[in-house]
Amino acid sequence: MSDLMSASDLRALAEQSNAWPFEQAKQIVARLKKTPKDEVLFETGYGPSGLPHIGTFGEVARTTMVRHAFRVLTEDRIKTRLLAFSDDMDGLRKVPDNVPNKELLTRDLGKPLTKVADPFGTHPSFGEHNNARLRAFLDTFGFDYEFASSTAYYTSGRFDATLLKVLENIDRVMAIMLPSLREERAASYSPFLPICPRTGIVLQVPISAHDAKAGTVSYDDPETGERVTVPVTGGHCKLQWKPDWAMRWTALGVDYEMAGKDLIDSVKLSGKICSALGGTPPEGFNYELFLDDKGQKISKSKGNGLTIDEWLRYASPESLSLFMYREPKAAKRLYFDVIPRNVDDYQQFLEGYPRQDARQQLANPVWHIHAGRPPAADMPVTFQLLLTLVSSSNAENAETLWGFIGRYRPGVTPQTHPKLDALVGYAINYYRDFVAPTKTFREPTASERDALQDLREALSQLAANASAEDIQNTVYEIGRREPFLNHKKLAKDGRPGVSLDWFNMLYQVLLGQEKGPRFGSFVAVYGLQNAIAMIDGALARAG
């Protein structure tokens, strides 16, 4: 669509769209009307005390969607940049569980992450190791971003002018921060954290004096008791994180940054400090947090969620982007059972895209996932169908699955359909890890046994090359009996329809799973004779 349509026509449609990336981008357009700029800066933050995780992906993916929406709304006339900022000057507070050579980190506790030894032995510091992992992570997904290191910005003097501004306005900053702190913390709080010249540790100490003209702060060394004076510039001090966030927004002129719902109060406080420093807080919104299968908030330290590597073992990055696109302001379960739906929904959105008009296309998630240029859909079978095939045939190898697919869709091979080949691999992994361990076949009731017997006979009467549609109609007709009749939903001929209970029974009794894809499609791929043998097996088990 965007290839055929002019930029101004596309912008006109985008202005009418209520897809959330456009809603967010409109806030930035409104901001520029008040304060024009020739460049807009988007920012995402990263705490490099651990490896990048699924939340990091979500924040960068969503910010990228807003950035693209903004470019469409401004016809790409304003330069945009996305800064992935790493807080690598933070002091290491505790040794993470998932690293080797923990004693190296224990020795450097309290030092900035870029001064902590790398336990992996691949980089000059732990901070640089994790920064490299972040860049490799973002590059894997093809994000367009610039990397920024807090240490490099502090030590190079990039923040000096704004740090002096914080010092000049220290009373205003304290007045904003103190009401938010517990009494004991408020008593010793300072926005400045000196880096001890003697030990290199980031100190949380009371500041006994500050001199705005000299650009220094003084404190008493907690070990020696000696009065020490250090400049706030040049990387000799860093700021506590809320003032730090505000200082960064001010110094760099950040226009857009989103944050998790748990940071709502922090965003407000940092915004107030930013205004006190003469800056304008960025636009943005607070996204909801991910929950595990029990509805608990996912936490890095608990490891109770789903990691990026786990998702990508079972599904494509595009399916993960769809998960991130959907309802960012709603809390969502991030657990293994959400994967199949997102894989198949992504495919459905992609298949529907060419049939939509331009307005509908801008509301289609794949438009935002692929920056306005979704690829052509070419996936002859669904993930759900592949899972059912693996499950029914115990085909834990790709060759067997491709045998079914090749018969169902002649000419479709791993070479002609590499994305389907990847999907086959995902389905086998998913089946092995989640479906196989939980398979339980239920016994059919007497009336269900009769229905299965009739289904077997009806299927054996069909031609070997019967279409999925013919098979589905046959299955439907056999199910048109009590207790499977649906009197509320009538068929086209006015007779009662068939309830989902009929199809669910087939999956529970024949395959040992709760639900599955369209049964006619499954039998068409699996083969009539294989399906008949499966029914025979179930009847024999129940006999």
Side-chain angles (χ1 to χ4, degrees), residues 143-212:
F143 288 120
D144 174 29
Y145 70 98
E146 293 167 39
F147 174 78
S149 151
S150 177
T151 302
Y153 276 45
Y154 266 99
T155 55
S156 69
R158 190 103 182 246
F159 286 153
D160 281 0
T162 317
L163 287 165
L164 291 169
K165 212 178 267 186
V166 175
L167 189 58
E168 285 160 21
N169 290 279
I170 195 161
D171 293 338
R172 295 176 74 187
V173 173
M174 292 289 276
I176 293 164
M177 284 304 301
L178 290 179
S180 71
L181 301 171
R182 290 194 312 274
E183 200 175 332
E184 66 212 67
R185 179 118 196 269
S188 63
Y189 180 84
S190 162
F192 288 99
L193 303 173
I195 293 170
C196 178
R198 189 172 53 80
T199 63
I201 285 172
V202 182
L203 296 173
Q204 296 249 11
V205 287
I207 296 298
S208 41
H210 49 87
D211 185 334

Side-chain angles (χ1 to χ4, degrees), residues 455-523:
L455 178 60
R456 185 206 185 284
E457 292 310 313
L459 292 178
S460 64
Q461 303 298 314
L462 287 173
N465 62 348
S467 70
E469 207 52 48
D470 289 344
I471 298 168
Q472 182 73 7
N473 289 337
T474 302
V475 175
Y476 194 85
E477 278 308 317
I478 299 295
R480 202 194 281 274
R481 59 173 76 197
E482 291 298 355
F484 304 117
L485 290 178
N486 183 348
H487 294 279
K488 288 181 185 165
K489 194 174 179 188
L490 301 181
K492 287 175 187 163
D493 58 11
R495 291 188 294 161
V498 177
S499 77
L500 275 178
D501 294 345
W502 163 239
F503 295 98
N504 291 344
M505 181 278 287
L506 293 177
Y507 284 108
Q508 290 160 10
V509 171
L510 300 179
L511 287 157
Q513 61 191 55
E514 282 302 308
K515 290 185 170 59
R518 206 157 182 263
F519 200 76
S521 303
F522 160 63
V523 174

Side-chain angles (χ1 to χ4, degrees), residues 387-431:
L387 282 177
T388 306
L389 276 176
V390 187
S391 187
S392 55
S393 58
N394 294 318
E396 289 193 42
N397 65 76
E399 290 73 23
T400 311
L401 273 182
W402 272 107
F404 291 126
I405 295 164
R407 193 183 61 233
Y408 176 62
R409 288 272 193 269
V412 172
T413 68
Q415 289 70 40
T416 62
H417 287 70
K419 286 201 167 164
L420 177 55
D421 195 34
L423 199 65
V424 163
Y426 294 141
I428 290 169
N429 288 343
Y430 194 91
Y431 170 77

Side-chain angles (χ1 to χ4, degrees), residues 198-357:
R198 189 172 53 80
T199 63
I201 285 172
V202 182
L203 296 173
Q204 296 249 11
V205 287
I207 296 298
S208 41
H210 49 87
D211 185 334
K213 279 203 181 107
T216 59
V217 290
S218 303
Y219 66 94
D220 296 330
D221 186 311
E223 285 178 13
T224 66
E226 181 192 352
R227 175 66 52 96
V228 183
T229 299
V230 292
V232 298
T233 51
H236 296 284
C237 287
K238 84 166 292 292
L239 292 174
Q240 299 265 17
W241 86 269
K242 286 168 200 153
D244 184 77
W245 213 7
M247 179 275 295
R248 190 159 87 213
W249 289 345
T250 309
L252 304 178
V254 176
D255 295 291
Y256 188 87
E257 181 161 5
M258 57 178 73
K261 190 184 174 188
D262 52 343
L263 298 181
I264 286 177
D265 292 339
S266 305
V267 170
K268 282 181 187 160
L269 285 170
S270 297
K272 284 180 184 172
I273 296 169
C274 177
S275 299
L277 299 175
T280 306
E283 308 304 315
F285 74 97
N286 292 97
Y287 51 83
E288 257 290 2
L289 305 175
F290 300 125
L291 310 174
D292 66 9
D293 57 324
K294 296 179 185 68
Q296 301 294 308
K297 184 184 132 184
I298 280 175
S299 100
K300 269 191 285 185
S301 53
K302 274 194 213 157
N304 60 333
L306 197 58
T307 68
I308 268 280
D309 290 343
E310 284 168 333
W311 187 293
L312 296 181
R313 174 171 159 73
Y314 308 114
S316 66
E318 291 84 0
S319 62
L320 179 56
S321 293
L322 172 63
F323 180 81
M324 294 301 175
Y325 175 84
R326 286 175 146 163
E327 302 172 282
K329 294 185 184 179
K332 290 202 291 270
R333 283 174 71 259
L334 179 56
Y335 202 61
F336 298 105
D337 55 7
V338 306
I339 292 176
R341 182 188 148 208
N342 280 280
V343 174
D344 283 339
D345 284 359
Y346 166 75
Q347 214 45 52
Q348 277 190 309
F349 284 125
L350 205 56
E351 283 164 14
Y353 184 81
R355 299 191 294 272
Q356 293 176 318
D357 65 31

